[in-house]
Amino acid sequence: MGIDRFCSLDGSDPFWDWNRTWHTSSPDLTQCFQNTVLVWVPCVYLWVCAPFYCLYLRCHDRGYICMSHLNKAKTAVGLLLWIVCWADVFYSFWERSQGIAMAPVYLVSPTILGITMLLATFLGQYERMKGVQSSGVMLNFWLVAVVCATVTFRSKILQALDEASSVSVFRYTTFYIYYFLLLVSFLLSCLSDKPPHFSQAVKDPNPCPESGASFLSKITFWWITGLMIRGYKRPLEESDLWSLNEEDRSHRVVPQLARRWDNECSKVKRPLETTIYSPKRSVRGERKKDAPPAEEAEILLVRTAQKSREPSLLLALCLAFGPYFLVSTLYKIIHDILMFVGPEILRLLIRFVNDSSAPSWQGYFYTALLFVCTCVQTLILQRYFHVCFVTGMRLRTAIVGAVYKKALVITSAARRTSTVGEIVNLMSVDAQRFMDLITYINMIWSAPLQVILALYFLWQNLGPSVLAGVAVMVLMVPLNAVIAMKTKTYQVAQMKSKDNRIKLMNEVLNGIKVLKLYAWELAFKDKVSAIRESELRVLKKSAYLGAMSTFTWVCAPFLVALSTFAVYVLVDEKNVLDAQKAFVSLALFNILRFPLNMLPMVISSMVQASVSLKRLRVFLSHEELDEDSVERKAITGASDSIRITDGTFSWSRSDAPSLKRICVNIPEGALVAVVGHVGSGKSSLLSALLGEMHKQEGSVYVKGSVAYVPQQAWIQNATLRDNILFGHERKESWYQRVVEACALLPDLEILPAGDATEIGEKGVNLSGGQKQRVSLARAVYCDSAVYLLDDPLSAVDAHVGKHIFEKVIGPQGVLQGRTRVLVTHGLSFLPQADLILVMVDGEITEVGSYTELLGRQGAFAEFLRTYASTEQGEEQSEQWSVMEEVETEDVNIPKRGQENGGPAVLMGQNSQSSVAVTGSAKTLSKSDGGKADGKKGGPLEVGKLTEADKANTGRVKLSVFWEYMKAIGLCLSFLSAFLFLSHHVASLGSNYWLSLWTDDPVINGTQPYTEMRLGVYGALGLSQGIAVFCYSISVSFGGILASRYLHQTMLYNVLRSPMAFFERTPSGNLVNRFAKETDTIDSVIPSIIKMFMGSMFNVLGSCLVILLATPLVAVIIPPLGLFYFFVQRFYVASSRQMKRLESVSRSPVYSHFGETLQGTSVIRAFREQDRFVRESEHRVDRNQKAYYPSIVANRWLAVRLEFVGNCIVMFAALFAVVARDSLSPGIMGLSISYALQVTASLNWLVRMSSELETNIVAVERVKEYGDTEKEAEWRLEHSTLPQGWPTTGHIEIRNFGLRYREDLELAIRNITVTIEGGEKVGIVGRTGAGKSSLTLGLFRIIEAAQGEICIDGVDIAGLGLHELRSRITIIPQDPVLFSGSLRMNLDPFDAYSDQEVWSALELAHLKNFVSGLPDKLNHECSEGGENLSLGQRQLVCLARALLRKTKILVLDEATAAVDLETDNLIQSTIRSQFEDCTVLTIAHRLNTIMDYTRVLVLDKGQLAEFDSPANLIAKKGIFYRMAKDSGLV
């Protein structure tokens, strides 16, 4: 039975009839087609989708939605539709029973339709139970049904008007009801249901509206409009941003990758298990001298054989994020196919214009079809991008999370292979690379697909001549590949320079105080500039390559077109180039242009990502600390709390052991002191107990939880309270006890907001002693079983040290009954230790109690005899401790928060609510409007120190662009613009010439003037290429000039800033300026400028052409232009702010990470890894929370703009159809082929203009340090200083005072002292008495507020800072070293000969150590000098002072971290070498200054006593009490 018989019994109703549908002025479809195809299409769609959809819903259950009115309505309408369809079926049966013969279609179609309606109703209910608020599947079903029914609806009305007799009233009535109900269903499916029960959105205070948005709202991204409107009215703030979707949050995303990566690693590790331990065996074998060499060789073979396979990070990433990403592939395929509809319709339109007999409705039909296709294409493309960007975002979250977690567990050896800067780069740069790649990765298969399709259509159009064009393209590919490869090598070189530069900058910023004290800024500025120059050289080479590739890109499509047309017309003179052939080919060539441009980009992007992938893989595969190297479980029947048997430990597998033959048993609750010289392995012993070292052999056992106080306190950028609580909940009474025991109460009274004061990065606003005490308080608070204390008493004053020992560590302290291992240099505490371990060269030589060891007459007794000062009598000390309590009450409440150089009160220059607390008087700053301090918000605001990175609001000022143009050079700027213009004029000219060529009349089957037309066309193309090459070069070079200038000025400005600036500004912000923002200026801005100019001229050119062809469009372009402009401004307002919020929230992620890296050992010791991981994830989520709306806003914009573009295409086509009688096909082809390009250009234009605005912010942020306060000039123009000044070292201080900030009281005041040349003066005083402030004043780190200081009669306020600082020397409190050679650390300006350097080292007692190093003076110091012990670093600082040998030497309690022997060495060196110099010593250990000429005693910022030590002791004043405290009297 044929289809015709199926529709009508006599076959009178055919299935298809061309005369009725196409060759007519009033088209219509046949009855049969309407009853079959139009009814079945929606049904087939739904039945095909239903099983997959149900499966999807089963897996993605979002909760249950209650019955709502919307749902009831949907169900009711669905059932009504079912009833209507069945009414038709029953009517057919009734007709049969009446004997009226009807075709089978009248029974079959309604039945199928009825069952489908039931299915639709059922699906609606199933969606409700699974929590779907709005469904795309159903919306599409209703849409298709409505479209199909509309055709029938029109047909039925026409039929009723023409042939009223053949109308079946019942069927017509049911159909109209059916059509009405379909429309209702369609409208209902556009609406969104309420959120399901128990969903996240209900609990969330600010949920993302996406999940609750309707399908239409989702595909057009309408749901973000609310946020955009808010952003347009006022700048967005963080509180406006929505929460992240559940599936994008770190706690969901990171574990996915972690799981896959662990699987990968375990696959690779299995065969390696056997081999990992083998080298140990052979090491031991060598020691015993009995292992056969054969075994060792075998082991090596085994290792090499199985080293081959690395775990694949790529596979792990694909498995974790692939499935979601695959959806995008589907979108991409659909979009690629739709791309070719445009040129096909263009072909039909040109044919329509040429064929005057065609009915005009066909033209309108083509126009409508073109519009619908372009709109669908838009929606699908944006959906595709959305999926890509979300995947990229998740990838970044996962990588950051994985790197963070890994950083907490890698061994110190692995940690040493990469600096902090490099690891942070993994997080910032490499994760970003992946994010960028994801958007393009599909081009790898999509580009070839597009090329093949384009070639197929071109072949249809022009035949074999296309091969000429293909040949040109194929030749371009290797050229681009070569360029890409070269670019990659440059990229790697540039990354390396950048890593080095950031690493150096990091150190400069961390050690800025030392640079200033030594006047070394210029040396380091030159070092940074040298690295920067090599970076710019590479950039310059990249620029040449970039110009080459831009040239090939822009010229490739033109060359392809030229060669194809040339071959086509020259091969056979009968080949006529008419409009249809030329412009359809051009449209196809324009499509070709995109994949050909993208391929090299994608390849280079993939190359970059592969470099990043490798770096990440290497980092994630680093060796991890062996969790089991320290046993934690209790050993039955053992009372030992710590036990090491036969321990041999090294810092990494390959290193020689640092600790050998260690055997220790420490009973529970014992106080153990560890003593030894500098570098004897005391800190290493603690590291071994923490499991931080590689255990080569032996066993380590620690019972219970551990608390650790490192030698250099690690302080977080948080409030003081959070630093002490360290994640534990606050128990008030215990907290108070701990704070009091750790002698922090006086400090809390000083600090502006008590314990709610924010501590800056690395604790900048605390002094060394305060940091140590906070670090100790943290350990004490957490209440552990075992305490490992690495010399916590070194940085504090003697009396404070005594207080802490008694109250905390000693037998009567808070920690009594706990096991305490104390590394110490203080001999006074040793008698109270239960056990003393003496270490020499990584071995424990003696163990025993104080009396035992003295009795043995061994090394220890020798050690003591040399250094112990007379122990005072017992009763005396007891009586003193009582006195000390009283003392603490009144003396220890200094007026100002200043101990050893870190001002405690340092706020933003203009922070809105800075309340400065000074002693007991609380002065409120003006901006606070005199609110009482007791009000809410007091302490938190008061204690703020660091300024968060500010987000500027509002439009980027034009002045920023002007600044950038000036940095480039105005001539170059205008030249570039002119070159752009000439390129686009040439391009327009060549296409217009082509349209004239196609309109040439055809005589006897050939066109005249072919050669002339071809020649001019070629010449125009060539000039286009030259212009492109020139502008590309000029823009890139301009960019390099600008970035050199901007970086230099920023570097200079930052180094010229005073110390207060660095204490206020987190180093993360500064590093961000030197890394991210500089990178943006280097490589991003120039390419964006190129693209922006390009797309702007493209759009203008296209509009011009369309206007010339169809002047009627002039009516449409202005309103569309206005709409476009409004949308663009509307978008940029929000987008820019989101971008700013995103970059501001990015800094905390990195600064937290950098902070963590420095404190890993502390975090691990306290077992706080999980809390830090959570904190990091929270910060990443906060950053992504700002990033997510910005990508959605991009899609929102693209949909609306492409709509504008689609309208332009539609109107260009529409007016061409209207004016088809007066238009030549050539001009029409030109106009529409340009219109087809407009959408893409418009899209790019807005993207680029907003990118330009958001990225030019980098210039603004780099410039902003030009306006901050600066120090005085480094060198004065006309300096009158004599060459050898100061010659005697005579210091006169007259009525001197200084303050830390404008609104604070004086820190020291009214100090008048005269110090003769060559005198040795000690400066003493309780914590916070202003000892360091005096030296800061002497070096003009802080300028005087009153009075003056004269050296050799010259007022220092009138000197250049470098002149002053380079002529006096300081040995600072923290020994800061920079990475680089040892020689560079001693003499960065290369001012001294090697001979002088060696003699300085000899005097500093480092000669033996340095000559024992393989590289001698060129020994590389690692970041922060970490490969030298603290004592050795201190000696290096001494060597610096010896090298400079100036007349004035300032010692800032430089002896804190050194054992007594080294201390004596330093003191004797200073006595002998600086005999004729003036020496000022800030002393903590009074015994070092007892033989000084005079002692200056400060109290509460004022001069209390000044006389020789003997006289002062006789006076029985403050100095006497301090001396008594130290047991010197």
Side-chain angles (χ1 to χ4, degrees), residues 338-347 349-350 366-367 369-371 373-374 377 583-588 590-591 1102-1103 1105-1106 1202 1205-1210 1212-1213 1228-1243:
L338 281 175
M339 278 176 76
F340 291 96
V341 175
E344 278 306 291
I345 295 178
L346 173 62
R347 191 167 64 96
L349 271 170
I350 294 176
Y366 290 142
T367 305
L369 193 61
L370 187 60
F371 183 66
C373 280
T374 45
Q377 194 181 333
F583 288 105
V584 173
S585 304
L586 266 191
L588 288 166
N590 280 329
I591 289 180
S1102 303
C1103 290
V1105 168
I1106 297 170
E1202 292 204 3
N1206 298 342
C1207 288
I1208 292 180
V1209 175
M1210 179 177 78
M1228 177 184 174
L1230 182 69
S1231 154
I1232 294 179
S1233 64
Y1234 262 102
L1236 284 171
Q1237 282 180 59
V1238 146
T1239 317
S1241 303
L1242 274 180
N1243 216 335

Side-chain angles (χ1 to χ4, degrees), residues 1340-1357:
R1340 282 177 61 198
I1341 295 290
I1342 297 172
E1343 298 287 354
Q1346 60 173 59
E1348 59 184 17
I1349 299 181
C1350 295
I1351 298 180
D1352 282 6
V1354 178
D1355 180 358
I1356 63 169

Side-chain angles (χ1 to χ4, degrees), residues 37 39 120 170 320 400 531 760 827 949 1066 1097 1119 1150 1242 1380 1408 1477:
V37 175
V39 173
F170 182 82
V400 170
I531 300 179
L827 301 180
D949 234 348
F1097 281 117
Y1150 303 150
L1242 274 180
N1408 293 344
C1477 305

Side-chain angles (χ1 to χ4, degrees), residues 767 1167 1188 1202:
S767 68
R1167 302 258 160 149
Y1188 184 66
E1202 292 204 3

Side-chain angles (χ1 to χ4, degrees), residues 892-1015:
N892 254 13
I893 305 176
K895 268 288 165 68
R896 260 211 47 280
Q898 165 59 18
E899 172 188 6
N900 319 337
V905 193
L906 267 175
M907 275 161 236
Q909 305 128 290
N910 47 11
S911 60
Q912 290 293 290
S913 49
S914 55
V915 183
V917 184
T918 321
S920 49
K922 302 195 171 167
T923 54
L924 290 160
S925 69
K926 299 182 190 63
S927 60
D928 237 40
K931 287 184 299 200
D933 192 276
K935 293 237 176 98
K936 271 192 189 143
L940 279 175
E941 291 297 343
V942 182
K944 285 296 282 169
L945 162 80
T946 51
E947 296 171 346
D949 234 348
K950 292 186 294 294
N952 302 350
T953 51
R955 290 196 58 171
V956 179
K957 297 177 200 59
L958 282 174
S959 60
V960 179
F961 288 99
W962 184 241
E963 281 291 341
Y964 187 69
M965 279 177 72
K966 280 199 301 201
I968 292 177
L970 294 179
C971 299
L972 199 55
S973 303
F974 290 122
L975 176 69
S976 305
F978 171 71
L979 287 166
F980 261 105
L981 186 65
S982 48
H983 162 224
H984 281 277
V985 169
S987 164
L988 277 178
S990 64
N991 283 336
Y992 182 65
W993 184 259
L994 184 67
S995 83
L996 293 178
W997 180 0
T998 58
D999 286 341
D1000 276 350
V1002 177
I1003 302 160
N1004 301 333
T1006 61
Q1007 281 174 321
Y1009 329 123
T1010 306
E1011 279 80 3
M1012 184 267 292
R1013 292 285 190 197
L1014 192 60

Side-chain angles (χ1 to χ4, degrees), residues 143-388:
L143 178 66
V144 173
V146 167
V147 169
C148 291
T150 306
V151 176
T152 315
F153 184 68
R154 172 180 174 275
S155 179
K156 282 210 188 295
I157 289 177
L158 289 176
Q159 193 185 357
L161 293 175
D162 297 347
E163 320 161 20
S165 58
S166 65
V167 171
S168 153
V169 179
F170 182 82
R171 284 211 169 85
Y172 266 53
T173 315
T174 53
F175 178 76
Y176 289 143
I177 296 171
Y178 164 76
Y179 185 65
F180 170 71
L181 288 172
L182 269 186
L183 284 173
V184 173
S185 262
F186 175 62
L187 291 174
L188 287 176
S189 68
C190 292
L191 303 174
S192 176
D193 217 332
K194 55 188 190 191
H197 271 310
F198 321 117
S199 77
Q200 272 312 110
V202 183
K203 287 178 271 185
D204 208 325
N206 191 7
C208 181
E210 181 182 12
S211 54
S214 68
F215 176 73
L216 278 178
S217 169
K218 276 183 190 164
I219 58 170
T220 55
F221 298 96
W222 185 259
W223 53 270
I224 196 182
T225 312
L227 187 67
M228 308 286 282
I229 292 173
R230 206 175 312 156
Y232 185 64
K233 289 183 183 157
R234 61 170 174 78
L236 290 173
E237 287 152 20
E238 199 184 340
S239 53
D240 298 323
L241 301 173
W242 302 307
S243 312
L244 266 182
N245 290 326
E246 185 60 22
E247 55 273 16
D248 296 330
R249 294 190 185 174
S250 294
H251 68 87
R252 286 280 291 274
V253 175
V254 180
Q256 293 174 347
L257 178 63
R259 208 171 50 242
R260 303 290 184 187
W261 173 244
D262 291 342
N263 290 348
E264 276 301 302
C265 292
S266 57
K267 274 188 222 161
V268 177
K269 277 216 181 93
R270 270 175 223 135
L272 266 176
E273 287 299 288
T274 52
T275 64
I276 276 177
Y277 300 104
S278 51
K280 297 187 186 171
R281 224 175 322 164
S282 59
V283 169
R284 209 182 283 177
E286 282 162 33
R287 186 173 301 146
K288 294 181 195 155
K289 292 275 186 285
D290 60 3
E295 178 192 328
E296 195 176 330
E298 277 163 17
I299 289 159
L300 292 176
L301 285 174
V302 173
R303 280 182 74 76
T304 46
Q306 276 162 345
K307 236 359 202 176
S308 57
R309 204 187 138 228
E310 298 281 358
S312 161
L313 179 58
L314 183 63
L315 188 61
L317 289 170
C318 292
L319 290 172
F321 305 107
Y324 175 73
F325 186 61
L326 279 175
V327 182
S328 69
T329 319
L330 185 68
Y331 289 136
K332 189 75 178 126
I333 293 174
I334 300 173
H335 171 256
D336 284 356
I337 292 167
L338 281 175
M339 278 176 76
F340 291 96
V341 175
E344 278 306 291
I345 295 178
L346 173 62
R347 191 167 64 96
L348 296 170
L349 271 170
I350 294 176
R351 197 166 80 192
F352 167 77
V353 171
N354 281 338
D355 173 14
S356 51
S357 65
S360 55
W361 68 268
Q362 289 181 3
Y364 300 121
F365 171 69
Y366 290 142
T367 305
L369 193 61
L370 187 60
F371 183 66
V372 170
C373 280
T374 45
C375 286
V376 171
Q377 194 181 333
T378 295
L379 293 177
I380 284 186
L381 182 66
Q382 298 319 319
R383 204 62 229 162
Y384 159 73
F385 274 131
H386 184 65
V387 172
C388 287

